Amino acid sequence: MSENKTPFAKVLGLLKSEDSAVRIETLETLSCLKLSDEVVDAVCFTITDADKGVKNAAVNFLTQCDDPRIPVKIAGYISSKEIEVRNLAGEILLKLGENAVQPLVDYIPIGDDDDKKFAVDVLGLIGSPDASPAILELMQTNDNENVLLACIEALGNLKAAEALDSLIDLFERNELFQPTIIEALGSIDTSESLQFVMSKYNAENEFLKFSIIESLGAIGDEETFFFLLSEVAETNSPLVWPLLKSIFLLKQKFNFDIPFDEKMRNSILNTLNEADAEYKKIATHLISAFDDKEIIFACLKIYGEDFEIDEILRDKFFQFPLIILQHISELLNQKPNNLKNLVGLVKELFEMYNSSGEEILTEIESRNLSDSITRCLENPDEEIRMLSIELLFSFDVEAALLFSDAIIEDNNVWNRLRLLDFLELVQHPKAEDLIKILANDPEEMVSERANSLISHLALAGQKTD
């Protein structure tokens, strides 16, 4: 007994040290085997420590130790008045997963309404069906709106089919909860939930209708799929965005074919031009059947907004590079927010064609594109300026040499150095003149590189003679 007391007493002393480094080291080296109640209390209390390093060490220890006393103790900290401590307790309980379910359930009757909501939120994220009875009982007995909303969301996350009747009853009694209840029913995938959601489709509230359509994408069947297709043909409002999303999800789920008619094309175009990223992402999955300029330009306008969308779009762009190269000057002249992405894309497309040696643009098309790119040489973004001069050298060397003065005066030394790389490859008197100008550059790296090129060119000229 005395042998056990000494190390525990020492640990308690170290955890209370004024030196945060000592507290951190203690937590990092502490074993979770056979800890006393006092040590468990002290370790849990370190999540209130003012030092961030101590808190991080505490989280690491508490989430890796399977001592059943820990989630019970940590659950009590969701009542903390300090938001950071409360959130840290929630993070630990979430990481403890199933081991935290019963302590959280047991804490629901203890805490106030804010605590109940917090506990239910964490239980919903953990996702254990064991929490469903307690959450359902709370929803049936509590009248706090925030608590009820948390219960509805959690029961949806838990796919609690036993809550269906109570959720439907609450739907009819309170309009405030209707969108959240519809979303929850969209997770409770039963024939009864589908039937109820479909029965509410003609709701006058457009926000509620958004939720209904999205839920149908999760729980719909073949009949739902064709119903939603018919709705696309009749819809001109933003409701077309969730309609496309749900149609796409059901297509993926059941391997259905989507009719790519003019109405579908216009709906996709509307979504690409107007919708949020979530819906644009769906629309990009549906563009494979269309190859007209309007669709491709709608895609170009959103290129660079979202990495996942970009990955999908790039496949489309490289299928139809001529449409882009022949007409993109119109878009570049508008100075869009994604100008850097577009110039970079044009550069890639030209590199692809240059490797084949194929002439792809007419003289007029080449001139239009060249004019658009030269305007980019004055752009405030140094990367756009560099991409632009590099692009000019790849398809219009005369224009590149003519407008290289802009890069010679560029305030970015790396751009001036890169220009020398291009000039080295061009056998033209103008290129030699530009190199000579850069030989007097105030930046030593640039002038040395330029003078080295001049010496190299002079030597090459002697050999030729």
Side-chain angles (χ1 to χ4, degrees):
M1 186 94 173
S2 60
E3 290 179 0
N4 286 334
K5 270 188 171 181
T6 303
F8 289 155
K10 183 178 180 181
V11 168
L12 289 170
L14 293 171
L15 289 173
K16 294 177 182 178
S17 170
E18 293 184 1
D19 188 343
S20 61
V22 172
R23 301 198 299 277
I24 291 171
E25 183 180 2
T26 304
L27 288 166
E28 290 177 342
T29 58
L30 187 64
S31 168
C32 69
L33 297 175
K34 298 181 180 179
L35 296 178
S36 69
D37 288 343
E38 292 81 4
V39 171
V40 172
D41 286 345
V43 172
C44 290
F45 185 72
T46 55
I47 71 170
T48 69
D49 200 288
D51 187 274
K52 188 174 182 180
V54 175
K55 285 180 179 177
N56 290 338
V59 171
N60 289 335
F61 177 84
L62 293 168
T63 54
Q64 292 172 16
C65 184
D66 60 0
D67 189 314
R69 293 170 293 177
I70 288 175
V72 176
K73 296 290 184 183
I74 294 296
Y77 285 95
I78 67 177
S79 294
S80 174
K81 300 304 178 187
E82 295 183 35
I83 294 176
E84 186 178 0
V85 173
R86 186 185 187 97
N87 289 341
L88 204 55
E91 177 187 334
I92 293 167
L93 291 165
L94 183 57
K95 288 182 177 179
L96 290 172
E98 292 281 349
N99 292 332
V101 171
Q102 194 57 50
L104 281 165
V105 166
D106 292 341
Y107 199 77
I108 288 175
I110 299 172
D112 61 19
D113 282 341
D114 287 340
D115 302 334
K116 294 181 197 300
K117 177 192 180 306
F118 194 91
V120 170
D121 284 339
V122 177
L123 286 168
L125 292 172
I126 292 173
S128 172
D130 293 341
S132 295
I135 296 174
L136 180 55
E137 181 183 357
L138 179 62
M139 188 180 75
Q140 293 169 337
T141 56
N142 193 284
D143 58 4
N144 181 282
E145 290 182 351
N146 290 329
V147 173
L148 289 173
L149 283 169
C151 288
I152 295 165
E153 290 179 6
L155 290 168
N157 288 341
L158 302 180
K159 305 184 187 303
E162 66 272 23
L164 188 61
D165 290 342
S166 295
L167 289 170
I168 290 173
D169 178 63
L170 189 56
F171 181 95
E172 303 297 355
R173 288 190 287 112
N174 194 321
E175 288 187 7
L176 174 67
F177 304 132
Q178 288 182 350
T180 311
I181 290 173
I182 290 295
E183 290 174 17
L185 294 177
S187 299
I188 302 173
D189 193 356
T190 66
S191 58
E192 291 82 4
S193 60
L194 174 57
Q195 183 179 358
F196 180 79
V197 173
M198 279 295 297
S199 72
K200 302 300 177 182
Y201 183 83
N202 291 319
E204 293 182 5
N205 183 326
E206 191 160 290
F207 180 65
L208 177 58
K209 203 162 187 177
F210 253 82
S211 298
I212 291 170
I213 294 169
E214 294 217 323
S215 291
L216 290 175
I219 61 177
D221 53 18
E222 183 175 0
E223 184 179 345
T224 310
F225 176 77
F226 288 105
F227 170 75
L228 295 176
L229 279 177
S230 68
E231 286 297 299
V232 168
E234 302 296 328
T235 304
N236 294 310
S237 72
L239 284 173
V240 77
W241 308 338
L243 280 169
L244 284 183
K245 179 182 177 181
S246 290
I247 288 168
F248 177 74
L249 291 175
L250 292 175
K251 169 195 181 302
Q252 296 291 91
K253 183 177 180 180
F254 297 110
N255 199 28
F256 293 146
D257 291 327
I258 295 177
F260 291 107
D261 52 20
E262 187 64 16
K263 181 59 184 178
M264 181 61 67
R265 175 195 172 278
N266 292 337
S267 297
I268 292 171
L269 192 59
N270 172 276
T271 306
L272 290 171
N273 286 329
E274 304 293 340
D276 296 333
E278 173 191 0
Y279 300 111
K280 287 179 180 178
K281 196 174 297 182
I282 296 297
T284 58
H285 283 287
L286 299 173
I287 60 174
S288 59
F290 304 103
D291 57 7
D292 59 280
K293 176 187 168 184
E294 193 173 10
I295 286 283
I296 291 174
F297 265 60
C299 293
L300 287 169
K301 288 176 182 178
I302 64 172
Y303 185 55
E305 290 183 5
D306 180 277
F307 176 78
E308 190 176 335
I309 291 176
D310 290 352
E311 287 298 298
I312 302 168
L313 292 180
R314 285 177 64 82
D315 288 339
K316 187 70 172 181
F317 296 153
F318 280 86
Q319 288 175 27
F320 302 98
L322 282 180
I323 294 178
I324 296 172
L325 293 175
Q326 290 168 347
H327 302 285
I328 199 169
S329 58
E330 306 167 21
L331 187 54
L332 297 178
N333 289 338
Q334 297 171 20
K335 298 181 180 179
N337 292 331
N338 64 340
L339 182 60
K340 179 163 60 179
N341 303 88
L342 296 178
V343 175
L345 175 64
V346 174
K347 177 176 170 291
E348 287 186 74
L349 294 176
F350 263 110
E351 286 173 351
M352 180 181 73
Y353 271 108
N354 282 348
S355 64
S356 68
E358 180 184 352
E359 289 290 335
I360 54 173
L361 298 180
T362 65
E363 185 177 346
I364 293 177
E365 289 167 346
S366 181
R367 177 55 55 200
N368 288 339
L369 181 57
S370 183
D371 289 345
S372 299
I373 297 299
T374 55
R375 292 190 184 99
C376 295
L377 295 173
E378 302 295 334
N379 194 280
D381 188 309
E382 61 192 35
E383 196 172 343
I384 291 177
R385 298 195 300 271
M386 193 67 261
L387 284 169
S388 299
I389 194 65
E390 186 171 354
L391 179 53
L392 280 176
F393 271 106
S394 71
F395 82 96
D396 191 343
V397 174
E398 288 189 9
L401 292 172
L402 182 62
F403 289 95
S404 285
D405 289 345
I407 303 300
I408 283 178
E409 298 173 2
D410 199 296
N411 57 17
N412 184 291
V413 63
W414 302 109
N415 281 359
R416 303 200 300 277
L417 278 169
R418 186 75 177 117
L419 175 60
L420 283 167
D421 292 338
F422 304 137
L423 294 174
E424 181 182 11
L425 302 175
V426 178
Q427 295 182 352
H428 193 287
K430 174 65 173 174
E432 295 180 17
D433 292 341
L434 293 168
I435 293 171
K436 289 175 182 177
I437 294 173
L438 288 168
N440 296 311
D441 193 277
E443 177 59 50
E444 188 176 351
M445 282 192 301
V446 178
S447 60
E448 285 185 355
R449 171 82 170 114
N451 279 301
S452 174
L453 285 179
I454 291 171
S455 299
H456 177 73
L457 291 171
L459 181 61
Q462 291 174 8
K463 289 182 178 180
T464 302
D465 295 340

